[in-house]
Amino acid sequence: MKVRTLILGAGAAGLFCAAHAGRDVLVVDHAKRAGEKIRISGGGRCNFTNMDVSAKNFLSQNPHFCKSALARYTPWDFIGLVSAHGIGWHEKTLGQLFCDNSAKDIVNMLVTEAEKEGAKLWLETEIIEVRHTDRFTVSLRRNGKDITVEADHLVVATGGKSIPKMGATGFAYQIAEQFGLAVTETRPALVPFTFSDSRFAEVSGIALPVLARATTGPAFAEALLCTHRGLSGPAMLQVSSYWTSGEAVDIDLIPTIDLTETLRKARSTDPRKSITTILARVLPSRLVDHLTAEFDLSGNCAEWSDGRIENLRLALSHWQVKPTGTEGYRTAEVTLGGVDTDGLSSTTMEAKQVDGLYFIGESVDVTGWLGGYNFQWAWASAHAAGTAIANRA
């Protein structure tokens, strides 16, 4: 069987590329349904993009690589497509856009767009081998039969290693290395932290707004969630992308609270009340109990000097915790690292040394923040590759 373009992977990037790659496109995937990771994203409502997207929202060894694709396919372009399909959407915090109804609406839209352009979709299809001479030759197994497909263009959109229970593997990296492309170190990102001493089990379920950061990287003003295994919530997921094993995470537990004013006032109005009682007015009481020993929260308000209040303020605004590790690829939303961008064209996503070979989406060393950024990279990189293929003779 011969096709002009073969796309490996029917996820966000693969399906979107199929809608832009022109004639004679075949998309193959091992899953029973297309867009499986899209279906579970955003709590089932798909955080499909963000209102404010720029290169600063992405991690890569080359922070400039993503700029071209992101500039040529913007969030507003995708919003226009979503609206044209009659899909209701709404903005949550920090510019995050979600479907009003279901993430399945996005999957259906992508499949419809691809099929409208004549693309064929083969699901439950196993990729056996990829070879290249004058054309790409890919051995597949479908419905118990071995099929060989030849293609002028091969697009690798098989994603990273995150959420292996859905079939995620490092297959894209194997193909890259097979064709001489470098792959940067990969690890789980946007993933909860774990602690070997189960120190947060007693406060599991507590959530509060914090300002958190790793040793390097920006500070994130989002929610923290205590779990039986450790710390999660948007703030921790964001920080995990910048965290290095063995380092501490700096957490401001009182980013919007003037603790000095609160405690000084209580010293006058409620001198006989314990300091923990006053703290429980501004922080979850179970968390206050949990921190009592660590910060010596003994005594009544009248006993607390200005110096002791200031020391507590500093301690709570720079709470240092050292995770044992993370929950790994099992729950990671994305994979940090991937196909080295030095080997790819930033305008077309094509391999510089292998004509007709493209890598898009999560397989590339471009990793977005939490909040719709990784989907926008999928759309933008897929559009870049698809339009480049469509415009080739």
Side-chain angles (χ1 to χ4, degrees):
M1 178 179 177
K2 296 182 179 181
V3 297
R4 185 168 182 267
T5 302
L6 176 61
I7 299 175
L8 307 182
L15 289 173
F16 203 59
C17 184
H20 293 87
R23 59 183 173 82
D24 200 14
V25 175
L26 172 64
V27 185
V28 300
D29 198 294
H30 63 84
K32 292 182 179 180
R33 296 184 298 182
E36 286 289 70
K37 288 180 74 172
I38 300 174
R39 294 177 194 274
I40 67 170
S41 65
R45 291 197 174 181
C46 187
N47 179 194
F48 57 81
T49 192
N50 195 288
M51 300 281 279
D52 181 22
V53 174
S54 68
K56 70 178 177 61
N57 305 119
F58 296 85
L59 293 81
S60 174
Q61 287 195 0
N62 179 358
H64 302 290
F65 179 84
C66 64
K67 291 180 177 179
S68 175
L70 291 172
R72 288 180 293 122
Y73 195 85
T74 71
W76 291 106
D77 292 318
F78 195 77
I79 292 168
L81 180 62
V82 170
S83 297
H85 278 258
I87 299 172
W89 55 271
H90 59 277
E91 179 183 356
K92 286 193 175 179
T93 58
L94 303 173
Q96 301 170 58
L97 303 188
F98 290 78
C99 296
D100 287 346
N101 182 33
S102 169
K104 294 178 182 179
D105 293 338
I106 298 295
V107 177
N108 294 337
M109 178 192 78
L110 296 174
V111 171
T112 298
E113 285 291 308
E115 292 179 343
K116 184 176 71 175
E117 297 301 319
K120 298 183 181 68
L121 176 60
W122 286 4
L123 299 173
E124 298 184 271
T125 301
E126 182 183 0
I127 303 166
I128 306 299
E129 185 182 22
V130 177
R131 301 185 305 278
H132 180 253
T133 50
D134 294 334
R135 307 181 86 208
F136 293 96
T137 303
V138 181
S139 300
L140 305 171
R141 184 165 296 139
R142 184 170 188 252
N143 296 329
K145 297 180 180 180
D146 291 339
I147 303 171
T148 298
V149 176
E150 293 183 2
D152 297 317
H153 312 104
L154 181 68
V155 182
V156 182
T158 54
K161 300 177 181 178
S162 57
I163 317 183
K165 70 178 181 181
M166 299 192 71
T169 68
F171 184 66
Y173 314 139
Q174 296 173 29
I175 296 178
E177 291 173 341
Q178 175 185 337
F179 287 98
L181 279 76
V183 177
T184 68
E185 180 182 357
T186 59
R187 63 180 176 85
L190 299 182
V191 61
F193 289 114
T194 57
F195 294 77
S196 59
D197 57 5
S198 302
R199 59 185 292 191
F200 297 106
E202 66 180 15
V203 288
S204 177
I206 287 178
L208 70 158
V210 301
L211 184 67
R213 71 188 314 157
T215 302
T216 60
F220 293 96
E222 297 195 55
L224 173 149
L225 173 66
C226 299
T227 73
H228 285 285
R229 294 172 56 84
L231 295 176
S232 186
M236 294 297 99
L237 299 187
Q238 298 277 38
V239 167
S240 72
S241 296
Y242 293 89
W243 178 75
T244 300
S245 180
E247 291 183 345
V249 175
D250 185 273
I251 303 173
D252 184 352
L253 293 171
I254 50 171
T256 61
I257 299 166
D258 187 340
L259 190 66
T260 301
E261 175 63 22
T262 298
L263 297 185
R264 283 180 176 176
K265 183 177 180 180
R267 195 168 55 188
S268 298
T269 59
D270 298 294
R272 295 183 180 181
K273 289 188 175 179
S274 67
I275 204 74
T276 55
T277 297
I278 304 304
L279 284 176
R281 295 175 180 175
V282 294
L283 291 171
S285 58
R286 281 201 297 143
L287 180 61
V288 173
D289 292 341
H290 176 76
L291 297 172
T292 297
E294 182 175 351
F295 294 138
D296 182 19
L297 302 180
S298 61
N300 297 330
C301 291
E303 301 170 20
W304 278 65
S305 64
D306 286 350
R308 193 177 177 190
I309 289 173
E310 177 60 14
N311 288 339
L312 179 61
R313 185 194 67 78
L314 289 172
L316 291 178
S317 59
H318 290 285
W319 186 36
Q320 300 280 313
V321 296
K322 186 175 289 187
T324 305
T326 71
E327 292 190 3
Y329 289 115
R330 181 179 66 85
T331 60
E333 298 207 11
V334 291
T335 302
L336 187 69
V339 179
D340 195 327
T341 58
D342 283 349
L344 304 176
S345 164
S346 63
T347 56
T348 66
M349 310 305 296
E350 186 177 17
K352 294 177 180 178
Q353 303 302 319
V354 185
D355 187 50
L357 178 63
Y358 301 78
F359 291 86
I360 59 177
E362 190 182 346
S363 67
V364 181
D365 175 30
V366 176
T367 305
W369 290 1
L370 186 72
Y373 300 101
N374 288 293
F375 272 127
Q376 187 58 37
W377 171 245
W379 317 139
S381 60
H383 178 267
T387 53
I389 292 169
N391 290 332
R392 293 184 70 157

